[in-house]
Amino acid sequence: MTMRGIAVSAGIAFGQAKVLRTYESKLDYHLLPPSQLAREQQRLNRALKTLIKQSQACAAKLDPESDNYQLIEADLLLLEDEELLAELSDTIGKRQFSAALAVEHSFAKQAQAMQEADSPYLARRAEDVLSLGQRLIRTLLTGHCDNLSRLPENAIVLAKDITPAEFATLPLERISALVLQTGGVTSHTAILARSAGIPTLMSCPWQTLEVIDGMTLAVDAINGELYLEPDETQISALDAQKQQADERKSALLALKGTVTQTKDGRSIPLLANVGCISEINHLADVGAEGVGLFRTEFLFMNNHELPDENRQYQLYCDALQLLDGKPLTIRSMDLGADKEVPALAMDSEENPALGLRGVRYTLAHPKLFSAQLRAILRAANHGPIRLMFPMVNQVEELEAVLALLEQCKQELVEAEKGFGELELGIVVETPAAVFNLASMLPLLDFVSIGTNDLTQYTMAADRANPLLIDQYPVLSPVIIRLISQIIDQAKAAKVRVSMCGELASNPSATALLIGLGLEEFSVNLASLLEVKQALSRWSYPDCVELAHKALQISRIDALNQLLTHCHS
C-alpha cells in the first residue's frame, strides 16, 4: 500500500514506524475532589522537571549559536516561567482541574494570545507553545518524554506536525525519515530536515492508513511516496534507487578538493549561503570558497534580546576568523514580512510582503541599523567583508543607506575606534530594482540576484503558497530575461554580479546561468557539490548557446523541455 506526499528533503529510507500521536482525546474533563489536588500539583512538578531535564540534555549537545539550540532555549524559558507556573497551580487549586487539563487550558490561553497579536512570527510560536503543552501532557500521562530516547534504530517518525522546537529535540541519529500530515517545501521544519539530511515527506495523509508502531515502512522522498509493508519488488526497486543516490553522494564528495571550473577551464567561484556562525564550520566539508550570503536577521530572530553593537562585532569577527581570508558577504538585517523579531515591537501590516521590510525597515529604524553598520565596519578591520542591502528598489533608498554608513564611519572616528573598507552591493529582488539598476550601479561594487523574491514580486505570487508552486516556478522565461538584463547591465558598468537565490542551488539551471553571464554562485551547503559537478560538465560556449536558446522561449513547459533535453 502506498500514500503520496510532498518530498521536501530528498532521499530513500527504510525503517520501522514510530507514530507520535496527540493525547487530547484521553484527557479527563471531570473536576477533581479537593483531596486529590495536592497530588495533581506534585504530578505537574514531576512532569515539568522531567521535561526540563530532557530539554537541557538536548541543548547540551548543540552549538549555542545553532537554530536548534535557540528553539530549545525558548521552550525552557516557557517551562520555567514563574507566571505560567503560578497560573497552572491556580488552575489546579481553584478550578479543580487535573494537571493535564490545567496544562491544556493554560497553554491554549498562551497560544491564543499570540495568535490574536496578528503577527506571523507569534503565530508560528503559538504552534510551538501548543506543541510544548502536548509534550508536557504526554509526559504527565506516560511519566516520560515522548519515549523518543527509546526510538528504534532507523525509525520512520510519523506525526501530524513537528514544530521546529520539537524537531530540535529529536534524536536524529536514530531517525531515517519523517512523514508529516501537514507542511510544505518552504516550512521551517522542512528547512531543518533538509539541513539535517533526513528524507522527509509533508502533506502526507498517513493517518488514513492503519499504521502501527514497528510496522515496516519505506519512504521515497524523491518521488513523494510512503510504502506500508513494501513487497520484495518494491524494496528491490527502492534499494536500487537508494544505492544510486548513495554512490552519487560519494562521487560528489570526491569533488570537494577540486578546482571549480567549466569543462574548458573557466573559473566560477562557488560560495555558500549561511544563517549562523556554526554553518561556516561546514564550508570545508564541501569546499566552499567563502560566504556569499550571511543572513544576519537570524541573529535577531532567534534571540529574546537584541544583540548590541559589540555582540554583533564579535560575531562577525568570529565568522572572519573561521573563514581565514575567504570573503564574508553580509546581508544587512532583512526584517519584516514573515521575519519578525520577538525583541522588537513590530507593527502588524495589512500586506507585510509589500510593506515595511528589508532596507525599508532598517531605514525606518536608524538606531537599530546604525548599530549593525558600525559593528560590520569595525569587523572589516579584521578581514574582507562585502556588505549588501536587501529590498533596495530605487537610488534614493541606496543614497540614504550610504549616507547612514558614512555617518557611522564618522561616529567611529569620534569614538576613536578603527574600521575597515567594505565592498558594497545590493540584492536585486524586485522588477523595480532591475529597471532602476543603471542609476544605482555607479555606487556599487557588486550586485547579487535574489531569485525567490524576484519571482514572487514579478509574478505577484506568494512564494510560500504551495498551491502556486507549479504555476509560478522560480525558473521561467520572464525571470530568465530579467536575470539576463541584470547581468548585462552590471557587466556594462564593470560591476561584479552573483546570485544568492534558490535558483543558484538548482544544478539543472547552472549551465543556463553561466551562459547568461553569471560570474559567481552562492548556494546552499547541501547543493554546492551538485552545482560544482554540473558546472564541470559544460564548456562555456555550450552554456552561451543554451542561454541563447532559452531566451527565445516564452512558455514554461518549453523551457523545462529544453533543460531536460540538454541534461539527458
Side-chain angles (χ1 to χ4, degrees):
M1 185 178 296
T2 62
M3 175 67 68
R4 289 200 61 78
I6 299 173
V8 301
S9 179
I12 305 289
F14 302 93
Q16 300 176 48
K18 173 60 184 174
V19 180
L20 300 184
R21 300 186 190 279
T22 56
Y23 281 73
E24 293 96 329
S25 61
K26 294 185 178 178
L27 290 186
D28 185 348
Y29 290 89
H30 290 94
L31 299 185
L32 298 177
S35 60
Q36 293 185 15
L37 298 181
R39 192 195 67 171
E40 284 304 291
Q41 184 63 57
Q42 291 170 358
R43 290 182 63 232
L44 174 64
N45 293 340
R46 282 198 299 271
L48 281 167
K49 283 181 182 176
T50 301
L51 194 50
I52 288 170
K53 188 177 177 182
Q54 188 228 31
S55 298
Q56 289 172 335
C58 290
K61 299 175 185 174
L62 298 171
D63 181 344
E65 299 293 341
S66 68
D67 291 347
N68 285 4
Y69 182 92
Q70 303 292 344
L71 292 166
I72 293 176
E73 190 176 54
D75 278 358
L76 283 168
L77 282 172
L78 188 58
L79 291 172
E80 295 170 336
D81 183 81
E82 291 185 0
E83 288 187 14
L84 179 64
L85 299 182
E87 181 180 326
L88 286 169
S89 294
D90 279 354
T91 306
I92 293 172
K94 296 177 181 176
R95 304 185 74 164
Q96 296 179 242
F97 281 9
S98 68
L101 197 55
V103 170
E104 184 188 62
H105 175 80
S106 296
F107 277 68
K109 191 175 164 185
Q110 287 260 339
Q112 185 177 0
M114 290 178 170
Q115 287 167 338
E116 289 176 350
D118 195 24
S119 158
Y121 172 80
L122 288 179
R124 286 196 298 276
R125 275 300 298 156
E127 293 172 9
D128 288 344
V129 168
L130 286 173
S131 177
L132 180 60
Q134 286 299 314
R135 284 158 55 201
L136 184 52
I137 290 172
R138 286 197 290 273
T139 307
L140 273 162
L141 297 177
T142 65
H144 50 73
C145 303
D146 289 342
N147 260 341
L148 291 181
S149 62
R150 303 176 190 177
L151 282 180
E153 294 290 341
N154 296 322
I156 292 180
V157 175
L158 301 98
K160 179 179 180 182
D161 188 18
I162 290 178
T163 67
E166 284 182 309
F167 187 91
T169 68
L170 293 174
L172 300 180
E173 71 281 3
R174 291 176 174 271
I175 295 174
S176 60
L178 293 175
V179 183
L180 306 181
Q181 294 173 30
T182 59
V185 291
T186 59
S187 72
H188 200 161
T189 301
I191 293 169
L192 291 173
R194 281 197 292 275
S195 177
I198 295 179
T200 300
L201 296 180
M202 289 187 166
S203 294
C204 179
W206 62 265
Q207 76 281 7
T208 60
L209 307 174
E210 295 180 359
V211 184
I212 59 173
D213 284 355
M215 179 178 280
T216 300
L217 303 179
V219 170
D220 176 358
I222 295 173
N223 299 303
E225 299 274 4
L226 167 67
Y227 292 81
L228 272 68
E229 303 285 9
D231 59 33
E232 289 187 6
T233 302
Q234 291 169 328
I235 291 174
S236 178
L238 288 169
D239 206 35
Q241 199 175 350
K242 185 175 187 302
Q243 191 173 343
Q244 287 179 356
D246 290 344
E247 289 173 357
R248 178 175 172 74
K249 190 174 180 181
S250 297
L252 286 172
L253 284 174
L255 294 174
K256 72 176 182 181
T258 62
V259 177
T260 305
Q261 60 185 18
T262 59
K263 192 163 66 176
D264 55 338
R266 190 181 186 90
S267 294
I268 306 286
L270 281 183
L271 286 75
N273 297 341
V274 302
C276 61
I277 298 290
S278 60
E279 286 187 284
I280 297 176
N281 281 314
H282 297 292
L283 260 61
D285 297 344
V286 292
E289 297 170 56
V291 170
L293 168 63
F294 183 12
R295 301 180 175 98
T296 58
E297 56 272 13
F298 290 117
L299 302 177
F300 298 81
M301 294 167 65
N302 292 332
N303 286 286
H304 290 266
E305 293 183 2
L306 293 177
D308 62 14
E309 178 187 324
N310 286 334
R311 175 63 178 145
Q312 291 182 64
Y313 164 70
Q314 188 58 55
L315 286 167
Y316 303 141
C317 286
D318 290 346
L320 286 170
Q321 186 176 14
L322 289 170
L323 285 165
D324 194 23
K326 293 176 181 173
L328 171 64
T329 309
I330 295 177
R331 183 177 68 188
S332 63
M333 62 185 95
D334 186 12
L335 302 176
D338 61 340
K339 298 172 184 172
E340 296 198 11
V341 176
L344 291 173
M346 302 179 77
D347 295 331
S348 60
E349 296 180 83
E350 191 72 23
N351 195 344
L354 301 179
L356 203 61
R357 59 163 302 191
V359 78
R360 297 174 182 173
Y361 183 88
T362 45
L363 283 175
H365 298 82
K367 187 176 177 182
L368 180 73
F369 197 14
S370 295
Q372 183 177 42
L373 294 178
R374 286 194 300 269
I376 292 170
L377 281 165
R378 290 169 59 195
N381 215 17
H382 305 284
I385 293 182
R386 307 169 180 175
L387 173 60
M388 59 184 182
F389 307 101
M391 270 298 272
V392 176
N393 290 301
Q394 49 205 16
V395 70
E396 289 89 344
E397 291 171 326
L398 181 57
E399 288 171 345
V401 170
L402 298 182
L404 190 60
L405 190 65
E406 288 303 312
Q407 181 184 316
C408 289
K409 288 181 181 177
Q410 187 58 41
E411 290 169 357
L412 290 173
V413 170
E414 292 170 1
E416 298 184 346
K417 292 180 179 175
F419 61 87
E421 291 302 315
L422 303 167
E423 289 189 53
L424 298 175
I426 62 169
V427 187
V428 180
E429 50 192 336
T430 69
V434 178
F435 292 111
N436 285 325
L437 196 55
S439 63
M440 295 190 277
L441 284 169
L443 304 173
L444 300 172
D445 299 304
F446 70 98
V447 296
S448 187
I449 304 172
T451 52
N452 304 340
D453 275 329
L454 183 61
T455 303
Q456 170 173 260
Y457 292 121
T458 301
M459 296 296 196
D462 184 349
R463 55 188 279 193
N465 189 333
L467 300 176
L468 303 178
I469 289 173
D470 292 336
Q471 295 92 336
Y472 302 97
V474 174
L475 190 56
S476 66
V478 68
I479 297 302
I480 288 177
R481 292 189 190 102
L482 285 174
I483 291 171
S484 179
Q485 283 189 46
I486 296 166
I487 293 172
D488 290 347
Q489 289 185 80
K491 284 195 165 185
K494 300 187 185 308
V495 170
R496 189 176 64 252
V497 58
S498 64
M499 179 179 288
C500 58
E502 278 296 311
L503 187 58
S505 299
N506 182 348
S508 65
T510 302
L512 170 60
L513 295 172
I514 293 171
L516 290 172
L518 193 68
E519 298 170 321
E520 181 178 291
F521 290 64
S522 186
V523 306
N524 297 327
L525 284 168
S527 304
L528 193 139
L529 290 175
E530 283 195 76
V531 172
K532 187 172 188 174
Q533 184 185 57
L535 189 152
S536 68
R537 288 176 172 168
W538 287 76
S539 70
Y540 184 67
D542 288 342
C543 293
V544 172
E545 183 181 348
L546 175 65
H548 178 73
K549 290 179 181 176
L551 285 169
Q552 311 307 311
I553 288 174
S554 58
R555 294 180 60 88
I556 293 173
D557 54 2
L559 179 62
N560 289 337
Q561 191 175 7
L562 171 69
L563 295 179
T564 302
H565 177 72
C566 75
H567 286 93
S568 61

